[in-house]
Amino acid sequence: MKQFNKNDIKTLKDIMLLRRDVRGNRFLKKKIDDKILDEILTAANSAPSVGFSQPWKFVIVKSKDKRNKIYKEFEKENNKAKKIFNDSEIYPKLKLEGIKESYINLAVLYEKPKRKILGQTTQKKMGEYSVVCAIENFWLMARAYNIGVGWISILKPKKVKKILGIGKEYKLIAYLAIGYVDKFLEEPELLKIEWEKKKSLKDIKTL
């Protein structure tokens, strides 16, 4: 079994600390090599899953027509969100997606089980949480390749599935924008603009 050294630990820490949620004003019109994309997807496929169920599926979306339709759905939902945050001067100025600007979009799906799954008989959501682990693996490996990822959550899953022709046997967990970027911010954008404060170890650690 491979043993990791201090340099390996530092590299992993750097990748995690410098991971960013990337928006459309950062993406470049630069192709991602298919081999690199496969490497990133292989990292996702190496994620832990309860019952070794591996319930994830990644749908690559390149079609401009489909992406434009999904962007229109984003606009509808974002207009609703603007009303919710109508007391904020910051929200309307935020760029919250990169659907059209990124090299590709990625729909990350959870395949609903057709049989009993080990470890999921009590906590039914564990399969979906496993997909989130795969997304994190994908995100970190993408960052290691200096490729940006943006998670677009201001979308109705049913609308996205309909546009992409995805059946009822799948649940949409995430819709991602993927591509090379002009730069990665030194700190998260929402921290920089003071939308939220960074929690310390003291804040999250309890007995």
Side-chain angles (χ1 to χ4, degrees):
M1 181 69 72
K2 178 177 173 60
Q3 298 293 310
F4 298 103
N5 58 40
K6 290 182 179 180
N7 287 333
D8 296 326
I9 294 169
K10 183 182 183 304
T11 299
L12 177 59
K13 184 179 178 181
D14 286 343
I15 292 169
M16 290 190 293
L17 291 177
L18 296 173
R19 181 207 57 79
R20 294 290 176 265
D21 195 5
V22 176
R23 302 305 174 189
N25 50 359
R26 299 262 74 98
F27 286 115
L28 301 173
K29 298 294 183 183
K30 180 180 176 182
K31 182 182 184 296
I32 299 174
D33 187 87
D34 288 341
K35 289 183 179 180
I36 291 177
L37 183 57
D38 283 349
E39 283 285 335
I40 300 170
L41 287 168
T42 297
N45 199 39
S46 302
S49 61
V50 178
F52 201 54
S53 54
Q54 306 155 86
W56 42 69
K57 187 173 285 291
F58 293 80
V59 179
I60 298 171
V61 184
K62 290 186 176 180
S63 164
K64 287 185 178 179
D65 179 58
K66 290 178 179 178
R67 288 163 70 166
N68 284 335
K69 288 177 180 177
I70 289 170
Y71 178 76
K72 288 179 181 177
E73 291 300 322
F74 164 82
E75 280 191 313
K76 290 178 187 177
E77 296 306 311
N78 195 39
N79 285 334
K80 295 176 187 176
K82 286 176 182 177
K83 293 177 182 178
I84 295 171
F85 293 103
N86 61 5
D87 59 340
S88 171
E89 294 180 2
I90 298 174
Y91 189 90
K93 300 174 184 177
L94 292 173
K95 174 69 171 172
L96 295 172
E97 51 72 44
I99 295 168
K100 295 192 288 186
E101 298 92 340
S102 57
Y103 175 65
I104 59 168
N105 291 183
L106 208 63
V108 187
L109 310 177
Y110 164 65
E111 186 173 9
K112 298 173 184 178
K114 300 179 179 66
R115 55 184 175 80
K116 295 176 182 177
I117 305 294
L118 177 70
Q120 297 184 32
T121 53
T122 301
Q123 296 189 40
K124 306 295 184 182
K125 294 282 187 179
M126 294 307 293
E128 295 174 44
Y129 300 156
S130 298
V131 178
V132 176
C133 290
I135 293 167
E136 179 72 356
N137 268 25
F138 181 96
W139 212 331
L140 293 175
M141 184 59 82
R143 182 63 184 89
Y145 275 103
N146 297 311
I147 292 170
V149 177
W151 188 326
I152 305 149
S153 59
I154 309 174
L155 286 168
K156 284 192 172 181
K158 287 184 179 180
K159 296 286 188 179
V160 173
K161 285 176 59 181
K162 184 176 181 180
I163 292 169
L164 299 180
I166 295 167
K168 293 181 179 179
E169 66 272 26
Y170 294 102
K171 181 175 182 178
L172 181 76
I173 301 299
Y175 194 80
L176 309 175
I178 318 292
Y180 287 103
V181 299
D182 58 354
K183 67 176 181 179
F184 289 94
L185 298 178
E186 288 297 318
E187 58 184 11
E189 183 180 10
L190 295 183
L191 174 63
K192 186 177 181 180
I193 65 174
E194 298 182 341
W195 184 270
E196 293 285 358
K197 293 181 179 179
K198 175 68 177 175
K199 290 184 178 180
S200 68
L201 184 60
K202 184 180 178 181
D203 294 324
I204 67 169
K205 188 177 179 180
T206 185
L207 296 176

